[in-house]
Amino acid sequence: MRPVLSPRRHPGARREELQRLVGDPVEVETDDGARLHVEVDPADRDGAPTVVLAHGYALSSDCWHFQRLALRGRYRLVLPDLRGHGRSTRGPAGPVAVARLADDLGQVLDAVAPTGPLVLVGHCLGGMAVMELAARRPDLLPRVEGVALVATGARALTAVDHGLPVLGHHLVRRAELALERAPGRGEAPERGRRPGADLEQRLVRHWSFAGPVAPELVRLAARMVAETPVDVVADLLLALGGLDERAALSGLAGRPALVVTAERDLMTPPAHGREVAEALPGAEHVLVRGAGHLVMLEHPAVLTARLERLLARSGPAAARHEVVVPLARRPRRRSR
C-alpha cells in the first residue's frame, strides 16, 4: 500500500455540531411486529441515488452525523436504527441475529426506497447485514450501484482479543457463557448499568477511538452504547461468534465497492477488512492509519471523501489498496 496524506478536519470539536440531526421520520413495521425508526433526508434533485447508511453494533444512526451533514441534499439518505438499537424496538420473535437484521433492512428498502438506484453503506454490524442482504434479497441487487463496508468483517470475531492480549479471548468467551445462562438476562444488568456510566464511557473511549478526540464524541459514542438494551448486546455477541458471510459477499461483486479498515480497530481488526476487499474484485481498499473502530467519527473527513469518490464512480475499477495517514490537527491559537 502507498501512504496517502489526508487532512484531518474534526468538526466534532464544536459542541453545537453534535446536536442530533433530524430528517423525515418513518416508522417501518416488520413482518414480526418490530417497529424500526428510519430517518429520511430528501435530495434536492430528482433521480439522485438513495444512500442507505446502516450503523454498527450497539450504536445508532447518529454515528453517521458528519457524513450526513456532508451528503444531505445532494443524495437521498436513508438512516435506519437497526432492531433493538436507537429508537427501534427489539421485536417479539426470537433472538436478534444478523439474518434478521438483513431481513429488516430489506423491508426498510421496500417501504422507503422501493425503486431507483441504491448505494449501501454499512459499518461493523451494519456491514454484515448488508452482506447478508445480498444473499437473502437478490431481487435488490440490480438496483445496487455501489457498496461501502466500513470497519467490518465477514467471519467470526471469536479470535479477536479486543485489545486485551492473552485475556481478551478468555474474557469474551466467559461473557458469552454468562449471557447464555443468565435467566431474564436483560433486567438485572440493565438496572446495574447506570451507576457504572463513568466506567462505561472510559471503556467506550478505549474500544472506539485510537487517538485524542473531542469529549463530545466520546459522550456521543457512550450514549449510543448505553441506549442499546443488554439483551440485544448479548444476542448479537453470541451471533457474531458464529458469523460467516464470506459466501454472501459474492452477491456484491461486480459493482463499485469501497472497503475501509482502521489500523487500530480493536473490534474488527484490519485483517478482516482486507479479507472482505479481496473477495470483491475491483474494490477500493483504504487503511486509515491511527484510527479506531469509529473511524467515521474519529476521522470524518477521510471517510466522507472516500464515500464521495464512490458515489461519483459509474463502474468497476481496478483494485486499489491505499494507506491514508490523517494529518494531526493544529492546536488553536488562544486569543489574548
Side-chain angles (χ1 to χ4, degrees):
M1 290 187 178
R2 178 174 57 86
V4 177
L5 292 176
S6 178
R8 178 182 181 180
R9 296 172 56 198
H10 215 307
R14 297 177 59 185
R15 179 174 302 178
E16 62 269 25
E17 293 192 28
L18 288 179
Q19 293 177 352
R20 180 170 269 171
L21 299 176
V22 178
D24 297 332
V26 179
E27 184 177 280
V28 176
E29 185 170 350
T30 66
D31 57 348
D32 70 341
R35 296 186 304 277
L36 305 180
H37 178 87
V38 183
E39 296 266 334
V40 179
D41 290 346
D44 294 336
R45 59 188 174 91
D46 294 333
T50 295
V51 181
V52 183
L53 296 158
H55 66 78
Y57 179 48
L59 300 174
S60 75
S61 58
D62 291 339
C63 73
W64 299 110
H65 184 91
F66 301 120
Q67 289 70 45
R68 189 177 180 182
L69 278 176
L71 300 176
R72 66 190 327 192
R74 298 159 56 197
Y75 303 94
R76 185 170 186 262
L77 305 182
V78 171
L79 300 100
D81 282 344
L82 300 181
R83 172 182 297 248
H85 294 72
R87 290 145 284 184
S88 293
T89 68
R90 185 184 192 283
V96 180
V98 175
R100 179 66 256 186
L101 298 180
D103 289 342
D104 291 348
L105 192 55
Q107 291 175 40
V108 167
L109 294 178
D110 292 341
V112 303
T115 61
L118 300 169
V119 175
L120 305 178
V121 183
H123 169 258
C124 184
L125 179 65
M128 298 164 190
V130 166
M131 297 176 212
E132 181 66 16
L133 178 69
R136 301 175 78 84
R137 290 292 304 273
D139 59 299
L140 294 173
L141 293 178
R143 297 171 51 203
V144 177
E145 295 189 345
V147 60
L149 301 170
V150 182
T152 190
R155 57 188 171 88
L157 300 178
T158 51
V160 178
D161 65 17
H162 302 284
L164 300 171
V166 181
L167 288 177
H169 308 307
H170 178 68
L171 289 176
V172 169
R173 183 56 189 148
R174 288 291 296 274
E176 290 175 341
L177 290 172
L179 291 167
E180 283 176 334
R181 297 168 182 167
R185 56 191 180 191
E187 299 175 5
E190 205 71 61
R191 285 198 301 270
R193 204 169 179 190
R194 289 295 81 215
D198 291 341
L199 174 60
E200 184 172 55
Q201 199 167 115
R202 288 195 292 271
L203 291 174
V204 167
R205 169 72 180 80
H206 172 73
W207 275 309
S208 301
F209 306 107
V213 296
E216 289 79 13
L217 293 183
V218 179
R219 288 195 289 270
L220 171 62
R223 174 178 62 77
M224 290 188 287
V225 172
E227 289 177 350
T228 308
V230 169
D231 59 341
V232 174
V233 173
D235 282 348
L236 288 168
L237 179 62
L238 298 174
L240 295 179
L243 181 77
D244 192 347
E245 297 295 339
R246 287 173 288 185
L249 276 171
S250 61
L252 297 173
R255 51 186 47 79
L258 168 68
V259 179
V260 177
T261 56
E263 182 186 37
R264 294 170 61 187
D265 188 341
L266 303 180
M267 305 299 293
T268 50
H272 289 253
R274 181 158 194 121
E275 182 180 52
V276 170
E278 290 173 349
L280 297 173
E284 178 183 8
H285 177 216
V286 178
L287 173 66
V288 185
R289 282 274 171 85
H293 188 59
L294 297 190
V295 60
M296 78 286 278
L297 290 173
E298 188 172 11
H299 298 289
V302 172
L303 181 59
T304 299
R306 297 299 166 143
L307 287 177
E308 290 176 330
R309 177 150 70 176
L310 172 71
L311 290 164
R313 283 172 59 182
S314 58
R320 178 171 53 234
H321 300 276
E322 293 183 86
V323 177
V324 174
V325 184
L327 297 178
R329 285 181 296 136
R330 294 180 181 178
R332 295 181 180 177
R333 291 183 178 181
R334 295 184 177 180
S335 57
R336 294 181 180 178

